[in-house]
Amino acid sequence: MVEEISPEDVESKIDDENVQIVDIRGPGQFKRGHIPGAINVPMSDLPSRIDEHEWGDEIVVACPIGQSSVQAAKLISSFEAVDDDARVASMAGGYREWNGELQTES
């Protein structure tokens, strides 16, 4: 079972350097606005790109409505380079429930 974390809790962790936020939406959606500091690894690319990243102790996965992020969190937590003690969570409700600031790419 994947842990879910509220968007408010994610927002409170944005400045925490130990938390990685992974946005699994497509690049176009990501560029239009994402959680500050998030990295973009689209769900379709995640299996082939999972080894490109250094995974930390706390990882939060975000998607449009909080469903595909659960699957992505399961995939990330099963990856051998992710520490067994790492906390991998899905942001409940996804971007639909996010009320915080969004960072854009020009």
Side-chain angles (χ1 to χ4, degrees):
M1 186 83 185
V2 170
E3 176 185 355
E4 288 194 293
I5 182 171
S6 73
E8 295 79 22
D9 286 344
V10 173
E11 189 172 12
S12 72
K13 295 174 179 281
I14 287 176
D15 294 328
D16 185 343
E17 293 181 10
N18 296 320
V19 176
Q20 288 175 293
I21 300 171
V22 182
D23 187 323
I24 61 168
R25 299 174 304 155
Q29 288 177 306
F30 182 80
K31 287 179 182 176
R32 284 191 293 276
H34 56 272
I35 296 168
I39 61 170
N40 185 222
V41 184
M43 182 65 168
S44 60
D45 297 345
L46 188 58
S48 62
R49 293 183 51 202
I50 198 165
D51 60 351
E52 292 178 7
H53 301 279
E54 292 287 327
W55 300 102
D57 294 332
E58 188 169 5
I59 303 159
V60 177
V61 184
C63 72
I65 61 172
Q67 292 180 346
S68 54
S69 58
V70 171
Q71 297 303 316
K74 286 180 184 177
L75 178 62
I76 292 169
S77 64
S78 69
F79 184 56
E80 62 189 28
V82 174
D83 193 306
D84 289 338
D85 295 331
R87 178 181 179 200
V88 183
S90 167
M91 185 172 78
Y95 277 92
R96 176 183 61 192
E97 299 296 322
W98 178 258
N99 292 318
E101 287 187 42
L102 292 174
Q103 181 177 344
T104 57
E105 310 260 325
S106 43

